[in-house]
Amino acid sequence: MGLQVGKFMSPIGQFVQNQHPSWINKLPMTPLGFGHDGAAPTSNVGMALRGGLPKIAGLRSNYVLFVANAPVYGKNEDNSIEGSLDTNGKTTSNGAQPTIGARYALNPVGGMEIGISGAIGEIVDVNNTLSIRDYSVMDIDFMYDLGAVALKAEYVKQEVGTSTLNSIDPDGGVWEALYLQASYQFTNVALEPVVRYSDYHNPDTKRNQIALGLNYLFSNNLIGKFSYEFNENEDATVSSSDVTNNDILRAQLAFGF
Amino acid sequence: MKNLIKTTILLCMLFGANSLMASDAKKADAINGASVWADTCMRCHNLRAPEDLSQRAWVYSINHMRIRAGLTGQETRDVLEFILSSKTDADEHN
C-alpha cells in the first residue's frame, strides 16, 4: 500500500497517470480530450492511498482511493474565462466540498487491465466563489499487451451541475472523450505502426481525430515518432480551414530515463 | 457528503488492515517475480531490461512501479528479486 500526499497526477483512468510520458505514449500528441483542459482530469492536491490487492479467485487487482481539493470551473490555460474546467490540482477548495474518488482495476489475464474509476464533489466558479455546483467524473479504461500487438482504450466523462447564481455559465454541462488505439511492433525491424481514434465533446465543441503513426525504436526508451492526424470539427458551421479541421504532420524524438 | 468521507476513511482502514496482514514478510520469490513481471511490466510501456538500470536504480524504480502498476509489497519484492537475479555478469559492476 502506498500513500501519496501533496500534488499527484489524477488517479482517474489510465492515460493521464500512466501513458502521458512521451516515451510511453505511442503518438506525439495526447488523444483529443486527454491533454490539459480536456475531458480527463489532470492532477490533484490531496491524499491518495493505493496498492495491489491479494489475489481474488486467482486474479490480481489494484485500487486507488483519494480525496483532493475541488476543481475550478471556467478558466482556460490562457486565463480566458469561458465555460471550461480547470482540473489542475488546487491548494484550496474555495469552500466547495472536496473531490472524493476511487479507481479499481482488474487483471483478468497477463498483460490486460480493465479499470473503472470515478469521483464526486463540488466545483467552484473562478470569478464567483459563492457559485458552487455539483461535480462528477467517471472513467473506464482498458489495455491489453499481446506481445507484438498492444491495445489501449479509455472513455472519460466529467459533469458540471447547474448554478442558480448565473456567474459564468449557469447550465454547466458534460465533457466527454474517448480513444481507441492499436499498435504493432515488428520483431525483425524496429518499426511500430500505430493507429488511434479519439473524440472529444464538450458544451462548446465536438471534434474527432484519426491519427496514424510510425515509430522507429532506436531502443526501448529512445523512440523517433512520426504521425499524421486527420482532424474533424463535427460542427458543420466551423470553416474547413479552421485549425480544428486541419490535418497535421508531426515528428518527435522521445527519451525515457 | 459527510457519510462519503466516513465511508472512505473506513475503506482506507480496511485496506490498511488487509495489507498489514498480507505483509508477514515472506522471502522474495524470483519465480513468482518472473510471472508478475511477464504479466505486468510490458503492459504500459516497452520492456525495460534488467541491464538498463543499476542495482541501486532498480530499487528506486521498482518502488515507483509498485505505485504505477498497483503491486502488493510481496509482488514488488518478488519482481525486484527476479530482475536483480537476471542481471548478467557483464553488467555486475553496476
Side-chain angles (χ1 to χ4, degrees):
Chain A
M1 186 172 55
L3 179 68
Q4 292 174 308
V5 182
K7 188 167 181 171
F8 48 88
M9 305 294 273
S10 169
I12 297 294
Q14 189 63 269
F15 189 88
V16 169
Q17 54 175 337
N18 286 325
Q19 298 298 308
H20 210 134
S22 52
W23 69 276
I24 298 180
N25 183 4
K26 295 191 183 294
L27 284 157
M29 285 295 286
T30 60
L32 290 181
F34 287 84
H36 294 270
D37 276 335
T42 310
S43 58
N44 291 117
V45 172
M47 251 168 73
L49 196 64
R50 59 197 303 162
L53 292 170
K55 283 188 179 174
I56 303 165
L59 301 180
R60 280 209 311 278
S61 65
N62 60 81
Y63 69 93
V64 186
L65 298 168
F66 71 97
V67 185
N69 287 327
V72 169
Y73 185 51
K75 190 174 175 215
N76 289 315
E77 271 197 341
D78 62 1
N79 276 340
S80 61
I81 294 177
E82 181 201 30
S84 95
L85 292 175
D86 178 358
T87 54
N88 285 304
K90 298 282 167 294
T91 50
T92 164
S93 281
N94 292 302
Q97 290 282 1
T99 307
I100 297 180
R103 176 170 181 271
Y104 177 74
L106 185 70
N107 306 115
V109 294
M112 186 191 283
E113 181 158 291
I114 301 170
I116 172 157
S117 49
I120 57 167
E122 289 179 334
I123 187 166
V124 55
D125 286 10
V126 64
N127 59 353
N128 181 356
T129 49
L130 292 175
S131 175
I132 291 176
R133 317 147 184 255
D134 289 338
Y135 165 80
S136 69
V137 52
M138 67 83 65
D139 185 295
I140 300 170
D141 60 79
F142 169 81
M143 55 170 73
Y144 191 18
D145 170 62
L146 293 121
V149 175
L151 305 173
K152 301 211 158 103
E154 183 169 342
Y155 168 77
V156 64
K157 175 179 171 182
Q158 285 185 104
E159 216 166 335
V160 172
T162 53
S163 168
T164 46
L165 287 171
N166 192 10
S167 74
I168 307 167
D169 174 5
D171 294 336
V174 168
W175 277 250
E176 62 181 338
L178 165 81
Y179 86 89
L180 306 166
Q181 174 182 300
S183 57
Y184 183 84
Q185 266 179 17
F186 287 98
T187 39
N188 46 348
V189 282
L191 286 174
E192 179 182 50
V194 188
V195 55
R196 181 175 74 197
Y197 172 79
S198 56
D199 74 30
Y200 178 24
H201 292 184
N202 70 30
D204 294 327
T205 135
K206 288 186 166 37
R207 293 161 58 193
N208 68 59
Q209 175 189 88
I210 295 171
L212 303 177
L214 187 63
N215 302 334
Y216 183 79
L217 283 79
F218 296 96
S219 74
N220 275 354
N221 56 337
L222 178 62
I223 302 154
K225 303 195 259 184
F226 293 93
S227 76
Y228 196 83
E229 290 167 10
F230 301 90
N231 287 295
E232 184 193 352
N233 193 319
E234 292 164 19
D235 180 352
T237 61
V238 172
S239 150
S240 62
S241 59
D242 188 82
V243 281
T244 55
N245 272 317
N246 283 352
D247 292 350
I248 301 173
L249 176 70
R250 297 182 197 270
Q252 186 188 56
L253 185 66
F255 177 70
F257 287 94
Chain B
M1 192 49 83
K2 281 264 153 61
N3 279 338
L4 252 167
I5 298 181
K6 274 190 208 145
T7 323
T8 316
I9 293 173
L10 206 78
L11 274 172
C12 293
M13 286 165 61
L14 269 174
F15 280 123
N18 187 317
S19 77
L20 277 179
M21 287 185 299
S23 68
D24 49 23
K26 255 179 45 198
K27 255 195 86 217
D29 171 2
I31 312 260
N32 184 50
S35 115
V36 173
W37 180 84
D39 282 356
T40 312
C41 299
M42 279 76 81
R43 190 170 78 227
C44 290
H45 51 68
N46 292 332
L47 164 73
R48 302 300 300 260
E51 59 272 20
D52 277 8
L53 270 66
S54 70
Q55 189 161 333
R56 261 178 54 146
W58 268 121
V59 175
Y60 286 110
S61 220
I62 208 68
N63 280 305
H64 184 192
M65 287 309 113
R66 172 184 179 173
I67 298 293
R68 296 271 173 212
L71 302 178
T72 65
Q74 187 62 47
E75 285 166 346
T76 311
R77 288 187 289 276
D78 294 352
V79 173
L80 182 64
E81 180 74 14
F82 167 70
I83 288 173
L84 296 183
S85 68
S86 313
K87 280 174 87 62
T88 57
D89 288 342
D91 75 306
E92 199 89 297
H93 63 272
N94 278 326

PDB file of all heavy atoms in Angstrom, chain A residues 11-12 47-49 64-68 98-103 117-121 137, chain B residues 4 8:
ATOM      1  N   PRO A  11      -5.730  10.154 -10.424  1.00  0.00           N
ATOM      2  CA  PRO A  11      -5.829   8.682 -10.445  1.00  0.00           C
ATOM      3  C   PRO A  11      -6.999   8.180 -11.294  1.00  0.00           C
ATOM      4  O   PRO A  11      -7.221   6.976 -11.370  1.00  0.00           O
ATOM      5  CB  PRO A  11      -6.062   8.309  -8.976  1.00  0.00           C
ATOM      6  CG  PRO A  11      -5.875   9.560  -8.178  1.00  0.00           C
ATOM      7  CD  PRO A  11      -6.127  10.699  -9.114  1.00  0.00           C
ATOM      8  N   ILE A  12      -7.744   9.122 -11.899  1.00  0.00           N
ATOM      9  CA  ILE A  12      -8.872   8.728 -12.739  1.00  0.00           C
ATOM     10  C   ILE A  12      -8.339   8.186 -14.065  1.00  0.00           C
ATOM     11  O   ILE A  12      -7.548   8.842 -14.739  1.00  0.00           O
ATOM     12  CB  ILE A  12      -9.797   9.948 -12.999  1.00  0.00           C
ATOM     13  CG1 ILE A  12     -10.401  10.472 -11.695  1.00  0.00           C
ATOM     14  CG2 ILE A  12     -10.870   9.619 -14.029  1.00  0.00           C
ATOM     15  CD1 ILE A  12     -11.366   9.529 -11.008  1.00  0.00           C
ATOM     16  N   MET A  47      -4.751  13.649  -1.009  1.00  0.00           N
ATOM     17  CA  MET A  47      -4.175  12.413  -0.495  1.00  0.00           C
ATOM     18  C   MET A  47      -4.706  11.234  -1.283  1.00  0.00           C
ATOM     19  O   MET A  47      -5.898  11.184  -1.583  1.00  0.00           O
ATOM     20  CB  MET A  47      -4.640  12.216   0.945  1.00  0.00           C
ATOM     21  CG  MET A  47      -3.576  12.422   1.980  1.00  0.00           C
ATOM     22  SD  MET A  47      -4.334  12.509   3.598  1.00  0.00           S
ATOM     23  CE  MET A  47      -4.767  10.811   3.834  1.00  0.00           C
ATOM     24  N   ALA A  48      -3.828  10.301  -1.613  1.00  0.00           N
ATOM     25  CA  ALA A  48      -4.282   9.084  -2.288  1.00  0.00           C
ATOM     26  C   ALA A  48      -3.644   7.876  -1.628  1.00  0.00           C
ATOM     27  O   ALA A  48      -2.468   7.892  -1.258  1.00  0.00           O
ATOM     28  CB  ALA A  48      -3.918   9.120  -3.766  1.00  0.00           C
ATOM     29  N   LEU A  49      -4.453   6.853  -1.477  1.00  0.00           N
ATOM     30  CA  LEU A  49      -3.992   5.602  -0.907  1.00  0.00           C
ATOM     31  C   LEU A  49      -4.123   4.584  -2.015  1.00  0.00           C
ATOM     32  O   LEU A  49      -5.176   4.512  -2.656  1.00  0.00           O
ATOM     33  CB  LEU A  49      -4.929   5.243   0.244  1.00  0.00           C
ATOM     34  CG  LEU A  49      -4.481   4.211   1.237  1.00  0.00           C
ATOM     35  CD1 LEU A  49      -3.263   4.731   1.979  1.00  0.00           C
ATOM     36  CD2 LEU A  49      -5.613   3.969   2.225  1.00  0.00           C
ATOM     37  N   VAL A  64      -7.133   2.524  -5.980  1.00  0.00           N
ATOM     38  CA  VAL A  64      -6.712   3.845  -5.524  1.00  0.00           C
ATOM     39  C   VAL A  64      -7.928   4.480  -4.842  1.00  0.00           C
ATOM     40  O   VAL A  64      -9.038   4.367  -5.358  1.00  0.00           O
ATOM     41  CB  VAL A  64      -6.314   4.791  -6.688  1.00  0.00           C
ATOM     42  CG1 VAL A  64      -5.742   6.093  -6.136  1.00  0.00           C
ATOM     43  CG2 VAL A  64      -5.353   4.151  -7.644  1.00  0.00           C
ATOM     44  N   LEU A  65      -7.704   5.102  -3.696  1.00  0.00           N
ATOM     45  CA  LEU A  65      -8.755   5.905  -3.060  1.00  0.00           C
ATOM     46  C   LEU A  65      -8.146   7.283  -2.865  1.00  0.00           C
ATOM     47  O   LEU A  65      -6.999   7.392  -2.450  1.00  0.00           O
ATOM     48  CB  LEU A  65      -9.126   5.328  -1.693  1.00  0.00           C
ATOM     49  CG  LEU A  65      -9.697   3.911  -1.657  1.00  0.00           C
ATOM     50  CD1 LEU A  65      -9.715   3.394  -0.224  1.00  0.00           C
ATOM     51  CD2 LEU A  65     -11.096   3.908  -2.239  1.00  0.00           C
ATOM     52  N   PHE A  66      -8.897   8.327  -3.173  1.00  0.00           N
ATOM     53  CA  PHE A  66      -8.299   9.649  -2.980  1.00  0.00           C
ATOM     54  C   PHE A  66      -9.304  10.711  -2.551  1.00  0.00           C
ATOM     55  O   PHE A  66     -10.500  10.590  -2.796  1.00  0.00           O
ATOM     56  CB  PHE A  66      -7.538  10.090  -4.225  1.00  0.00           C
ATOM     57  CG  PHE A  66      -8.408  10.439  -5.422  1.00  0.00           C
ATOM     58  CD1 PHE A  66      -8.746  11.760  -5.692  1.00  0.00           C
ATOM     59  CD2 PHE A  66      -8.880   9.446  -6.262  1.00  0.00           C
ATOM     60  CE1 PHE A  66      -9.539  12.086  -6.798  1.00  0.00           C
ATOM     61  CE2 PHE A  66      -9.674   9.761  -7.367  1.00  0.00           C
ATOM     62  CZ  PHE A  66     -10.007  11.085  -7.633  1.00  0.00           C
ATOM     63  N   VAL A  67      -8.770  11.717  -1.893  1.00  0.00           N
ATOM     64  CA  VAL A  67      -9.533  12.904  -1.502  1.00  0.00           C
ATOM     65  C   VAL A  67      -8.685  14.079  -1.945  1.00  0.00           C
ATOM     66  O   VAL A  67      -7.472  14.095  -1.705  1.00  0.00           O
ATOM     67  CB  VAL A  67      -9.704  12.992   0.034  1.00  0.00           C
ATOM     68  CG1 VAL A  67     -10.595  14.161   0.391  1.00  0.00           C
ATOM     69  CG2 VAL A  67     -10.287  11.713   0.578  1.00  0.00           C
ATOM     70  N   ALA A  68      -9.293  15.058  -2.605  1.00  0.00           N
ATOM     71  CA  ALA A  68      -8.492  16.165  -3.119  1.00  0.00           C
ATOM     72  C   ALA A  68      -9.301  17.451  -3.125  1.00  0.00           C
ATOM     73  O   ALA A  68     -10.532  17.435  -3.043  1.00  0.00           O
ATOM     74  CB  ALA A  68      -8.011  15.832  -4.535  1.00  0.00           C
ATOM     75  N   PRO A  98     -14.627  18.755  -1.059  1.00  0.00           N
ATOM     76  CA  PRO A  98     -13.501  18.156  -1.777  1.00  0.00           C
ATOM     77  C   PRO A  98     -13.972  17.046  -2.722  1.00  0.00           C
ATOM     78  O   PRO A  98     -15.084  16.546  -2.598  1.00  0.00           O
ATOM     79  CB  PRO A  98     -12.633  17.584  -0.662  1.00  0.00           C
ATOM     80  CG  PRO A  98     -13.553  17.390   0.488  1.00  0.00           C
ATOM     81  CD  PRO A  98     -14.605  18.454   0.380  1.00  0.00           C
ATOM     82  N   THR A  99     -13.117  16.708  -3.649  1.00  0.00           N
ATOM     83  CA  THR A  99     -13.404  15.614  -4.565  1.00  0.00           C
ATOM     84  C   THR A  99     -12.999  14.303  -3.898  1.00  0.00           C
ATOM     85  O   THR A  99     -11.889  14.177  -3.387  1.00  0.00           O
ATOM     86  CB  THR A  99     -12.572  15.782  -5.853  1.00  0.00           C
ATOM     87  OG1 THR A  99     -12.800  17.100  -6.356  1.00  0.00           O
ATOM     88  CG2 THR A  99     -12.957  14.766  -6.906  1.00  0.00           C
ATOM     89  N   ILE A 100     -13.900  13.329  -3.907  1.00  0.00           N
ATOM     90  CA  ILE A 100     -13.594  12.010  -3.345  1.00  0.00           C
ATOM     91  C   ILE A 100     -13.733  10.995  -4.453  1.00  0.00           C
ATOM     92  O   ILE A 100     -14.768  10.976  -5.147  1.00  0.00           O
ATOM     93  CB  ILE A 100     -14.574  11.665  -2.204  1.00  0.00           C
ATOM     94  CG1 ILE A 100     -14.412  12.675  -1.075  1.00  0.00           C
ATOM     95  CG2 ILE A 100     -14.319  10.253  -1.680  1.00  0.00           C
ATOM     96  CD1 ILE A 100     -15.319  12.414   0.084  1.00  0.00           C
ATOM     97  N   GLY A 101     -12.709  10.192  -4.654  1.00  0.00           N
ATOM     98  CA  GLY A 101     -12.782   9.285  -5.789  1.00  0.00           C
ATOM     99  C   GLY A 101     -12.051   7.983  -5.565  1.00  0.00           C
ATOM    100  O   GLY A 101     -11.356   7.782  -4.557  1.00  0.00           O
ATOM    101  N   ALA A 102     -12.198   7.088  -6.511  1.00  0.00           N
ATOM    102  CA  ALA A 102     -11.585   5.771  -6.425  1.00  0.00           C
ATOM    103  C   ALA A 102     -11.375   5.199  -7.816  1.00  0.00           C
ATOM    104  O   ALA A 102     -12.041   5.589  -8.775  1.00  0.00           O
ATOM    105  CB  ALA A 102     -12.476   4.834  -5.628  1.00  0.00           C
ATOM    106  N   ARG A 103     -10.413   4.297  -7.898  1.00  0.00           N
ATOM    107  CA  ARG A 103     -10.268   3.506  -9.118  1.00  0.00           C
ATOM    108  C   ARG A 103     -10.049   2.068  -8.689  1.00  0.00           C
ATOM    109  O   ARG A 103      -9.322   1.813  -7.699  1.00  0.00           O
ATOM    110  CB  ARG A 103      -9.083   3.985  -9.947  1.00  0.00           C
ATOM    111  CG  ARG A 103      -8.826   3.124 -11.200  1.00  0.00           C
ATOM    112  CD  ARG A 103      -7.799   3.769 -12.129  1.00  0.00           C
ATOM    113  NE  ARG A 103      -7.570   2.966 -13.330  1.00  0.00           N
ATOM    114  CZ  ARG A 103      -6.659   1.994 -13.426  1.00  0.00           C
ATOM    115  NH1 ARG A 103      -5.875   1.702 -12.405  1.00  0.00           N
ATOM    116  NH2 ARG A 103      -6.529   1.318 -14.553  1.00  0.00           N
ATOM    117  N   SER A 117     -13.174   3.941 -12.753  1.00  0.00           N
ATOM    118  CA  SER A 117     -12.872   4.951 -11.745  1.00  0.00           C
ATOM    119  C   SER A 117     -13.896   6.065 -11.782  1.00  0.00           C
ATOM    120  O   SER A 117     -14.598   6.248 -12.776  1.00  0.00           O
ATOM    121  CB  SER A 117     -11.459   5.510 -11.955  1.00  0.00           C
ATOM    122  OG  SER A 117     -11.255   5.889 -13.293  1.00  0.00           O
ATOM    123  N   GLY A 118     -13.956   6.789 -10.699  1.00  0.00           N
ATOM    124  CA  GLY A 118     -14.896   7.897 -10.646  1.00  0.00           C
ATOM    125  C   GLY A 118     -14.649   8.749  -9.427  1.00  0.00           C
ATOM    126  O   GLY A 118     -13.908   8.353  -8.518  1.00  0.00           O
ATOM    127  N   ALA A 119     -15.235   9.921  -9.424  1.00  0.00           N
ATOM    128  CA  ALA A 119     -15.113  10.806  -8.278  1.00  0.00           C
ATOM    129  C   ALA A 119     -16.314  11.735  -8.252  1.00  0.00           C
ATOM    130  O   ALA A 119     -16.901  12.025  -9.295  1.00  0.00           O
ATOM    131  CB  ALA A 119     -13.829  11.624  -8.361  1.00  0.00           C
ATOM    132  N   ILE A 120     -16.660  12.175  -7.041  1.00  0.00           N
ATOM    133  CA  ILE A 120     -17.706  13.183  -6.931  1.00  0.00           C
ATOM    134  C   ILE A 120     -17.270  14.259  -5.960  1.00  0.00           C
ATOM    135  O   ILE A 120     -16.374  14.057  -5.139  1.00  0.00           O
ATOM    136  CB  ILE A 120     -19.066  12.604  -6.465  1.00  0.00           C
ATOM    137  CG1 ILE A 120     -18.905  11.885  -5.125  1.00  0.00           C
ATOM    138  CG2 ILE A 120     -19.674  11.687  -7.501  1.00  0.00           C
ATOM    139  CD1 ILE A 120     -20.239  11.577  -4.488  1.00  0.00           C
ATOM    140  N   GLY A 121     -17.902  15.402  -6.082  1.00  0.00           N
ATOM    141  CA  GLY A 121     -17.590  16.515  -5.201  1.00  0.00           C
ATOM    142  C   GLY A 121     -18.290  17.749  -5.713  1.00  0.00           C
ATOM    143  O   GLY A 121     -19.378  17.651  -6.294  1.00  0.00           O
ATOM    144  N   VAL A 137     -17.054  12.787 -12.096  1.00  0.00           N
ATOM    145  CA  VAL A 137     -16.289  12.239 -13.217  1.00  0.00           C
ATOM    146  C   VAL A 137     -16.372  10.723 -13.150  1.00  0.00           C
ATOM    147  O   VAL A 137     -16.424  10.143 -12.062  1.00  0.00           O
ATOM    148  CB  VAL A 137     -14.813  12.731 -13.201  1.00  0.00           C
ATOM    149  CG1 VAL A 137     -14.165  12.497 -11.854  1.00  0.00           C
ATOM    150  CG2 VAL A 137     -13.981  12.052 -14.297  1.00  0.00           C
TER     151      VAL A 137
ATOM    152  N   LEU B   4     -19.925  10.043   2.949  1.00  0.00           N
ATOM    153  CA  LEU B   4     -18.936   9.582   1.973  1.00  0.00           C
ATOM    154  C   LEU B   4     -17.532   9.625   2.566  1.00  0.00           C
ATOM    155  O   LEU B   4     -16.744   8.700   2.399  1.00  0.00           O
ATOM    156  CB  LEU B   4     -18.979  10.493   0.753  1.00  0.00           C
ATOM    157  CG  LEU B   4     -19.589   9.827  -0.455  1.00  0.00           C
ATOM    158  CD1 LEU B   4     -19.899  10.837  -1.518  1.00  0.00           C
ATOM    159  CD2 LEU B   4     -18.644   8.757  -0.972  1.00  0.00           C
ATOM    160  N   THR B   8     -15.085   6.519   3.083  1.00  0.00           N
ATOM    161  CA  THR B   8     -13.729   6.488   2.540  1.00  0.00           C
ATOM    162  C   THR B   8     -12.724   6.130   3.623  1.00  0.00           C
ATOM    163  O   THR B   8     -11.859   5.278   3.434  1.00  0.00           O
ATOM    164  CB  THR B   8     -13.352   7.866   1.945  1.00  0.00           C
ATOM    165  OG1 THR B   8     -14.449   8.320   1.190  1.00  0.00           O
ATOM    166  CG2 THR B   8     -12.116   7.770   1.096  1.00  0.00           C
TER     167      THR B   8
END
